[in-house]
Amino acid sequence: MKKIFGYVATLCLLAPLSGWAQRTHVRAAERLLQAEQPNYSEIRRLLGLAEAHEETKADPYTYYIRGLVDHQLYKAEYRKLTTPGIPGDTATMFRHVVDELPAWLRADSLDQRPNAQGRVQPRFLKRIQDFLKEDAPKMYDAGLFYLDHKDYARASRAFDYALQAQRLLLPVGERVLKADSTTANLAYYTLVSAYTGKLYPEVIRLGKEYRDLSANQNEVYQFITRSHLAQQDTLGALPLLEEGARRFPKTTFFFGKLIAIHQAQGNYKAAVALIDEAIKAAPTNPNLLVLRGNVYFMAQDWVHATEVYKQVLKLSPDNYDALFNLGQVYYNQAVSLLANPLATKLDEHKAKDYFRQSLPHLEAAYKRSPDQVRELLGNVYYRLGLEQRYAELHQEKQ
């Protein structure tokens, strides 16, 4: 019985001693950082032990020192680069200034927990802020460096951390970024870097946080929407498309994508309603009118499609889409008549008339885009018995 009691007593002594030992490791790491030539391998080893322990892995002091390691390495490289005759490495400098932030964010998060009296009394925020006043702009410079080197993942990360550093620099109790020019530009660069690198999940994640703070919001909303669509996430894209259409009514992208989705779902009435809403804001925009015509085209409502495409051509006689699509409308009506096994001579006469009406529009479209129009135009020549034009058309291809 005495042996068992002694064993339990020993365990009780070892438990707090172990936590104390890990805190000693953090203090030892801090002392090593103050050496003239710090042993960073040993410092990281000591911090690794502290981060693996139940008590010290939840201690903000551990992560404050972890961030201080990268800050000090950044400063050392910066001094080399700014001292004549001493070689330094720009990429290494920027890597360390960016890498300091995750640890300090963790330290701040742990430091914001209420104490036993329910009060928040951060121990390290002021010290972190003192460092970040100088380092946050360098994170922005790091983003530009990576962007210039087409390392889009690191560029986006650096800009994102520069934004998060700005948040840490706010007074105690404030964590909402202000919509100023610095924030707007950083948010834009964060998103454009991720989108350029085709980091679509990251664009979506960052967009939730920064889209309404960013500069060039029209463009940013398109980045985020396209990222959802690239992920085949129509459900996630829809609210962004609707918001974009509401906020930027003169931009056809949002309406166009919404319309395409409604068309794919066979909801032509909703598609037309969307276009009509857009046309109210830009009544003479031929692109919007073309979209309206396309909805009728997809629904095989040839009468309304014809009316709209003719309206476009009055506003813009050389509009390729209206020319080609109107030519297709007449062609499709002709083919539909001839496909009927009970077609009469009158139907054949009407079909030939539709082919004749399609011809000038397809010939005008052919001048703009020969490869896309050639086959359809050739079919019309053939149907109208214009053998010479048909032969010339195919000679041009050769």
Side-chain angles (χ1 to χ4, degrees):
M1 185 68 181
K2 288 182 179 178
K3 287 184 178 180
I4 294 173
F5 178 78
Y7 177 67
V8 173
T10 302
L11 284 178
C12 291
L13 287 171
L14 284 175
L17 182 62
S18 176
W20 176 84
Q22 301 309 320
R23 283 190 289 276
T24 300
H25 286 152
V26 181
R27 285 194 288 271
E30 184 176 19
R31 285 195 298 273
L32 287 173
L33 272 176
Q34 297 167 6
E36 189 173 337
Q37 293 184 323
N39 183 342
Y40 288 106
S41 295
E42 177 61 11
I43 291 168
R44 288 197 172 99
R45 187 189 73 82
L46 292 168
L47 291 173
L49 290 172
E51 288 175 24
H53 190 268
E54 285 300 318
E55 289 188 40
T56 44
K57 75 178 184 182
D59 189 340
Y61 178 43
T62 303
Y63 301 96
Y64 167 70
I65 298 302
R66 171 69 75 184
L68 201 57
V69 171
D70 279 296
H71 168 77
Q72 195 157 304
L73 285 165
Y74 147 67
K75 291 297 291 184
E77 207 63 38
Y78 177 77
R79 282 192 291 271
K80 291 178 189 176
L81 288 164
T82 54
T83 303
I86 299 179
D89 185 77
T90 304
T92 299
M93 177 189 73
F94 284 137
R95 175 167 56 83
H96 285 302
V97 78
V98 171
D99 285 350
E100 74 185 41
L101 194 72
W104 281 345
L105 287 170
R106 175 70 173 150
D108 178 65
S109 175
L110 294 168
D111 225 7
Q112 297 298 319
R113 295 177 303 180
N115 59 20
Q117 290 74 41
R119 289 180 294 181
V120 175
Q121 293 180 314
R123 293 177 290 158
F124 300 100
L125 180 59
K126 180 63 170 66
R127 280 182 264 181
I128 291 170
Q129 287 177 330
D130 287 341
F131 291 125
L132 286 179
K133 286 173 185 176
E134 179 184 332
D135 294 3
K138 288 296 180 183
M139 293 174 194
Y140 172 75
D141 292 341
L144 294 176
F145 173 82
Y146 292 129
L147 199 57
D148 187 54
H149 286 76
K150 295 180 170 55
D151 189 341
Y152 300 113
R154 286 186 175 177
S156 181
R157 179 174 178 260
F159 290 128
D160 180 27
Y161 283 0
L163 274 167
Q164 295 192 55
Q166 293 294 328
R167 186 179 282 121
L168 274 182
L169 285 168
L170 294 172
V172 176
E174 294 184 26
R175 282 295 179 268
V176 179
L177 285 169
K178 298 175 182 177
D180 56 24
S181 59
T182 299
T183 298
N185 287 328
L186 281 171
Y188 176 75
Y189 279 119
T190 302
L191 286 158
V192 77
S193 299
Y195 182 74
T196 306
K198 298 181 179 180
L199 308 171
Y200 300 127
E202 191 68 0
V203 175
I204 293 167
R205 183 189 71 82
L206 292 165
K208 291 176 182 177
E209 189 165 3
Y210 298 136
R211 69 188 182 211
D212 293 325
L213 289 171
S214 176
N216 305 318
Q217 289 188 9
N218 187 330
E219 192 177 347
V220 162
Y221 267 74
Q222 291 187 50
F223 293 157
I224 305 165
T225 305
R226 290 179 191 277
S227 297
H228 278 286
L229 294 173
Q231 300 281 97
Q232 307 298 314
D233 180 15
T234 303
L235 192 63
L238 274 173
L240 289 162
L241 286 168
E242 290 166 355
E243 178 69 8
R246 184 185 66 78
R247 295 180 62 178
F248 315 109
K250 294 185 179 180
T251 301
T252 57
F253 166 80
F254 301 104
F255 286 102
K257 292 297 181 185
L258 275 172
I259 291 158
I261 290 170
H262 285 305
Q263 283 178 333
Q265 296 171 347
N267 193 353
Y268 300 112
K269 186 176 180 181
V272 170
L274 277 168
I275 297 170
D276 287 345
E277 190 65 30
I279 289 173
K280 288 178 184 177
T284 59
N285 187 328
N287 294 326
L288 289 173
L289 291 170
V290 166
L291 287 175
R292 198 177 199 279
N294 292 349
V295 174
Y296 290 127
F297 185 102
M298 293 294 292
Q300 297 185 24
D301 184 345
W302 307 126
V303 173
H304 285 101
T306 300
E307 289 176 358
V308 175
Y309 291 138
K310 284 183 175 180
Q311 186 181 356
V312 174
L313 292 174
K314 285 181 181 178
L315 295 168
S316 178
D318 296 328
N319 188 289
Y320 167 78
D321 291 319
L323 288 167
F324 184 45
N325 293 350
L326 183 54
Q328 288 187 91
V329 166
Y330 288 128
Y331 179 87
N332 289 348
Q333 290 179 92
V335 170
S336 296
L337 285 171
L338 296 176
N340 185 351
L342 301 177
T344 65
K345 287 290 184 181
L346 180 60
D347 291 329
E348 291 177 8
H349 178 75
K350 286 181 179 178
K352 200 161 190 175
D353 190 50
Y354 280 135
F355 284 131
R356 288 194 190 97
Q357 290 182 75
S358 74
L359 185 58
H361 302 297
L362 292 177
E363 286 181 329
Y366 178 77
K367 294 176 182 178
R368 302 285 301 276
S369 182
D371 291 339
Q372 187 173 354
V373 183
R374 181 178 285 108
E375 184 177 352
L376 186 61
L377 180 58
N379 286 338
V380 173
Y381 284 150
Y382 179 80
R383 297 276 191 174
L384 291 173
L386 302 172
E387 291 87 356
Q388 185 175 348
R389 290 195 192 179
Y390 179 85
E392 290 171 353
L393 188 72
H394 287 83
Q395 285 174 0
E396 289 178 17
K397 184 178 180 181
Q398 297 172 2

